[in-house]
Amino acid sequence: MSGLTVAVAEEPPGERRVALVPESVRRLTGSGLQVIVPPGAGAGAWISDAAFSEAGARILAAPEAYAAADVVLAVAPPAPSLVAALRAGQALVGMLQPLTSPDLVRQLAQRGITAVSLDGLPRTLSRAQAMDALTSQASVAGYRAVIEAAHAYGRYFPLLITAAGTAKPAETLVLGAGVAGLQAMATARRLGAVVRGYDIRPETRQEVASLGAEFLELQSVRSGSGEGGYARMLDESELAAQQAELDGHIARHDVVITTAQVPGRRPPLLVRRTAVERMRAGSVIVDMAASAHGGNVEGSVAGQTVVTGNGVTVIGADDLASRTAGSASAAYSRNVTALLLHLLRDGALAVDLTDEVQAGVVVTHGGEVVHPAAAARLAGQSTEGAAR
Amino acid sequence: MSGLTVAVAEEPPGERRVALVPESVRRLTGSGLQVIVPPGAGAGAWISDAAFSEAGARILAAPEAYAAADVVLAVAPPAPSLVAALRAGQALVGMLQPLTSPDLVRQLAQRGITAVSLDGLPRTLSRAQAMDALTSQASVAGYRAVIEAAHAYGRYFPLLITAAGTAKPAETLVLGAGVAGLQAMATARRLGAVVRGYDIRPETRQEVASLGAEFLELQSVRSGSGEGGYARMLDESELAAQQAELDGHIARHDVVITTAQVPGRRPPLLVRRTAVERMRAGSVIVDMAASAHGGNVEGSVAGQTVVTGNGVTVIGADDLASRTAGSASAAYSRNVTALLLHLLRDGALAVDLTDEVQAGVVVTHGGEVVHPAAAARLAGQSTEGAAR
């Protein structure tokens, strides 16, 4: 076994996570791979170069690291400088968001790079669970959303009974009972808040209840379960009825955390301005879906915290996992390591699109966009372009 | 009953708390008092002028409010502008820190102002519990210290077992098991951390254990219980032995929260630079004793967050209660209201130093410094000045 060489990417500015932590470096070198880490790559997650060295990694400046690598492991979609540094035949593994980044996908294909994106992992496949970075990062983000909310909120989360009287618990509403939402509910419950959860998928009721949260029953929406563990898109009349009913619930909560995402699409608007305006001064909203493509909360801005005229703090939380970079990196590192080892045959990367895991994650290979959904999105983009 | 007039103070910059909340305004007006609130006084605690008005307060600019008042209620020690606005015969009630602010005490006495400080309340007197602002604010600060720590810490607080492996809980050490320390332990436990507590008063062991925290047994220090619920000062050899033993414990913790204060004195140094240097990168220290007079942590700076060369974040947390201004104000408001009503006889302020509560809280009256400890501190200051 000649030993595949893996380089850790320098992440773009603002991204504190790192693709490998020393524990995984040990696992990879133990499997016969070489690992190269650029100096300072782990700084955002408080991992020193010395810690990587001790685990068996070589510390080498990013250009040399990328030049020497067969595979580059990243977290965030690559900066242009990283894409430019790669050559045909190399592989890039990360959370590349291929469905919302068609230009990147086209570029990677044209340059002959094998792009592997953990976003595409089949989440319902049990043997892929150890590789499921979307889940691990959503879990960190859900935890972090509550820490951010508690930090922004000017009152106790728990009920406290003292000599000076009783402090009421924070009434917390979490919209969306996926991984992030459930972790947010669990964390808010831990902190002592009264927690209510809502999801259009009624089968999440048991999970919500198991965390000690109350499942919010809306009368106006029928089941909204979709494929792959996500919610389906609701139609317009359903959305309107849901929102009208939700408005009343939102107004009586102190903390609202929204987590509703539909892969590759604009997130649904769940908290309208009219609902925000009915909330009490001092209330806090964390919009976990905030992005350049919009969010769940009208008026939220990705990467910013805004305070409305009526005193509601709206956190456009697009980097929550990165803000808890230690835990997020540790989990991601295990995910990407498991996936990388799954992709190897006889010590070399072996693309095999008949494998269900690979079919989900391999986006480009041999100069082609091999992932059907990414290819469809690219084709759609061309059509849109032609229609303009 | 003519109706005593009470004005709420505009707090100094950076202080988000407010001395009264609407609930207490109702209680005071219900007892026949007039309440005046300057516009925006509650903004830092998210309380609008309208909310104060609805509760029966008159909204009046600060100069007019102070001019019309018999009693001004404040939280923080007054800014010079507030002191300058007061006249002989008026009363100022707040947390005036008379033992560390001799100049303020002298000024208030000279100006003939009746200064009442909640700092001096006899904390072991059960009928004074409802007035105990030191306790209520320490409780908020202890809660907040953990929220700050969790926000600064790059990892999960709880133990989490996931498909990608296990995330270890944050090993948290709280030094000092007073009100703030116990609330910090309780909050860190809520969040799922492994919590250890230490105090030189062995009788706190049961309280620490009752919160699910482990009481840290040091072999090198005998009991350090002091008067009034505080710890006594340790002598130098005791401090050295305690610190050497603590260093080893501190080094293995991810989060350290220090809460050791001795009233009117420089806080004891519990976490030395040598201990901080042994901590892991990414660890967090919250120094709740950080102040202009020093803190519990070598290198901490009041009001600032510094990151050491070895990657330890040290939060010099001197305004924790203010950062959770809603709960802190609500509790303080109940405390100050209870004290104010206690000071009234037939609708007027009636200073009576034979009353144990009043003897503790009344600092200046009738042009004199009537509080023995404050007077002694003033005399000591004069002596020090003469000796220079």
Side-chain angles (χ1 to χ4, degrees):
Chain A
M1 203 151 63
S2 64
L4 195 83
T5 297
V6 172
V8 168
E10 272 186 347
E11 295 295 326
E15 177 56 69
R16 298 179 62 91
R17 290 172 291 181
V18 60
L20 288 185
V21 302
E23 171 198 298
S24 302
V25 171
R26 278 190 199 91
R27 184 165 174 210
L28 291 174
T29 55
S31 300
L33 284 75
Q34 312 288 323
V35 179
I36 309 177
V37 178
W46 301 107
I47 303 169
S48 66
D49 296 345
F52 279 119
S53 287
E54 283 161 27
R58 198 150 46 113
I59 308 298
L60 209 58
E64 287 79 42
Y66 300 155
D70 300 303
V71 180
V72 176
L73 302 182
V75 182
S81 60
L82 171 52
V83 177
L86 297 177
R87 62 175 188 278
Q90 283 184 311
L92 172 66
V93 183
M95 293 203 288
L96 308 178
Q97 301 174 13
L99 298 186
T100 50
S101 309
D103 293 338
L104 173 65
V105 170
R106 186 184 292 109
Q107 208 180 350
L108 291 168
Q110 283 169 351
R111 295 174 59 88
I113 294 155
T114 299
V116 178
S117 184
L118 285 88
D119 307 70
L121 199 81
R123 300 180 76 179
T124 47
L125 205 65
S126 73
R127 69 186 166 99
Q129 278 187 6
M131 313 168 192
D132 189 350
L134 277 182
T135 288
S136 74
Q137 303 305 293
S139 180
V140 176
Y143 166 80
R144 183 73 195 188
V146 173
I147 300 298
E148 295 291 335
H151 195 262
Y153 186 56
R155 308 186 71 92
Y156 286 123
F157 261 46
L159 168 82
L160 289 179
I161 298 167
T162 71
T166 298
K168 284 188 292 187
E171 304 271 333
T172 301
L173 175 62
V174 178
L175 300 178
V179 175
L182 291 171
Q183 188 62 256
M185 291 177 213
T187 306
R189 279 294 302 148
R190 282 179 193 277
L191 256 181
V194 169
V195 181
R196 294 182 191 86
Y198 173 66
D199 199 292
I200 50 172
R201 298 165 300 159
E203 69 270 25
T204 61
R205 189 183 287 114
Q206 288 301 326
E207 291 173 280
V208 170
S210 75
L211 298 171
E214 179 191 333
F215 190 85
L216 205 64
E217 301 282 354
L218 292 198
Q219 308 305 318
S220 53
V221 187
R222 63 183 176 82
S223 169
S225 300
E227 284 174 18
Y230 288 95
R232 67 176 172 86
M233 290 295 285
L234 298 181
D235 69 32
E236 275 191 34
S237 71
E238 285 176 310
L239 280 173
Q242 174 188 246
Q243 285 176 357
E245 197 173 351
L246 268 179
D247 281 10
H249 290 293
I250 290 164
R252 69 186 170 96
H253 282 84
D254 303 305
V255 174
V256 175
I257 296 172
T258 69
T259 71
Q261 306 208 30
V262 185
R265 288 181 179 274
R266 195 191 181 294
L269 185 65
L270 297 179
V271 181
R272 295 181 296 179
R273 201 177 300 276
T274 48
V276 177
E277 283 166 357
R278 288 172 58 189
M279 293 178 78
R280 283 182 291 269
S283 299
V284 175
I285 304 176
V286 181
D287 182 355
M288 292 186 62
S291 73
H293 312 290
N296 296 145
V297 181
E298 194 171 1
S300 78
V301 183
Q304 288 187 33
T305 296
V306 297
V307 179
T308 67
N310 63 319
V312 177
T313 299
V314 182
I315 302 174
D318 62 346
D319 66 341
L320 290 173
S322 172
R323 292 193 207 180
T324 302
S327 292
S329 300
Y332 184 82
S333 174
R334 290 171 185 173
N335 299 142
V336 78
T337 297
L339 176 60
L340 180 63
L341 294 174
H342 176 76
L343 296 174
L344 299 186
R345 292 290 175 277
D346 301 325
L349 210 65
V351 171
D352 170 10
L353 297 174
T354 65
D355 173 69
E356 201 175 349
V357 170
Q358 290 212 31
V361 298
V362 180
V363 180
T364 66
H365 182 61
E368 303 290 333
V369 178
V370 297
H371 191 278
R377 191 56 60 96
L378 268 182
Q381 193 195 35
S382 310
T383 313
E384 279 172 33
R388 268 189 215 115
Chain B
M1 204 151 61
S2 66
L4 195 83
T5 298
V6 171
V8 168
E10 272 186 347
E11 295 294 327
E15 177 57 70
R16 295 178 64 89
R17 289 171 293 182
V18 61
L20 288 184
V21 304
E23 171 198 297
S24 303
V25 171
R26 278 191 199 92
R27 184 164 174 211
L28 290 174
T29 55
S31 301
L33 285 73
Q34 313 289 323
V35 179
I36 310 177
V37 178
W46 301 107
I47 303 168
S48 66
D49 296 346
F52 279 118
S53 287
E54 283 162 28
R58 197 150 45 111
I59 308 297
L60 210 56
E64 287 79 44
Y66 300 155
D70 300 301
V71 180
V72 176
L73 302 181
V75 182
S81 60
L82 170 52
V83 178
L86 296 179
R87 61 175 188 275
Q90 283 184 310
L92 173 67
V93 183
M95 293 202 289
L96 308 179
Q97 302 175 12
L99 298 187
T100 50
S101 310
D103 293 340
L104 172 66
V105 171
R106 186 183 293 110
Q107 208 178 351
L108 291 168
Q110 283 169 352
R111 295 175 60 87
I113 294 154
T114 299
V116 177
S117 182
L118 285 88
D119 307 70
L121 199 81
R123 301 180 75 179
T124 47
L125 206 65
S126 74
R127 69 186 166 96
Q129 278 187 6
M131 314 169 192
D132 189 351
L134 277 182
T135 289
S136 73
Q137 302 306 294
S139 181
V140 176
Y143 167 80
R144 184 73 194 188
V146 173
I147 300 300
E148 294 291 336
H151 194 261
Y153 187 56
R155 309 185 71 92
Y156 286 123
F157 261 46
L159 168 82
L160 289 178
I161 298 168
T162 71
T166 298
K168 285 187 294 187
E171 304 269 334
T172 301
L173 175 62
V174 179
L175 299 178
V179 175
L182 291 171
Q183 188 61 257
M185 292 177 214
T187 305
R189 278 294 301 148
R190 282 179 193 278
L191 255 181
V194 169
V195 182
R196 293 182 191 88
Y198 173 66
D199 199 293
I200 50 171
R201 299 166 299 160
E203 69 270 24
T204 61
R205 188 182 288 113
Q206 289 300 326
E207 291 172 281
V208 170
S210 75
L211 299 171
E214 179 191 334
F215 190 85
L216 205 64
E217 301 282 356
L218 291 198
Q219 307 307 317
S220 53
V221 187
R222 63 185 177 82
S223 169
S225 299
E227 282 173 19
Y230 287 95
R232 67 177 171 86
M233 288 295 283
L234 300 182
D235 69 32
E236 274 191 34
S237 71
E238 285 176 311
L239 280 173
Q242 174 188 246
Q243 285 178 357
E245 197 174 350
L246 268 180
D247 281 10
H249 290 293
I250 290 164
R252 69 187 170 95
H253 283 85
D254 302 306
V255 175
V256 175
I257 296 172
T258 70
T259 72
Q261 305 208 32
V262 185
R265 289 181 179 273
R266 193 190 183 295
L269 185 65
L270 298 179
V271 181
R272 296 181 297 178
R273 201 177 299 275
T274 48
V276 177
E277 284 167 356
R278 288 171 59 190
M279 293 179 77
R280 283 183 290 268
S283 299
V284 175
I285 302 175
V286 180
D287 183 354
M288 292 186 63
S291 73
H293 312 290
N296 296 145
V297 180
E298 194 171 1
S300 79
V301 183
Q304 289 186 32
T305 295
V306 296
V307 179
T308 67
N310 62 318
V312 177
T313 299
V314 182
I315 302 175
D318 61 348
D319 65 342
L320 290 173
S322 172
R323 292 193 207 179
T324 302
S327 292
S329 299
Y332 183 83
S333 174
R334 290 172 185 173
N335 300 143
V336 79
T337 298
L339 176 60
L340 180 63
L341 293 174
H342 176 77
L343 295 175
L344 298 186
R345 294 287 176 277
D346 301 325
L349 210 65
V351 171
D352 170 10
L353 296 175
T354 65
D355 173 68
E356 200 174 353
V357 169
Q358 290 213 32
V361 298
V362 180
V363 181
T364 66
H365 182 61
E368 303 289 332
V369 179
V370 297
H371 191 278
R377 191 55 62 95
L378 268 181
Q381 193 194 37
S382 310
T383 312
E384 279 171 32
R388 269 189 214 116

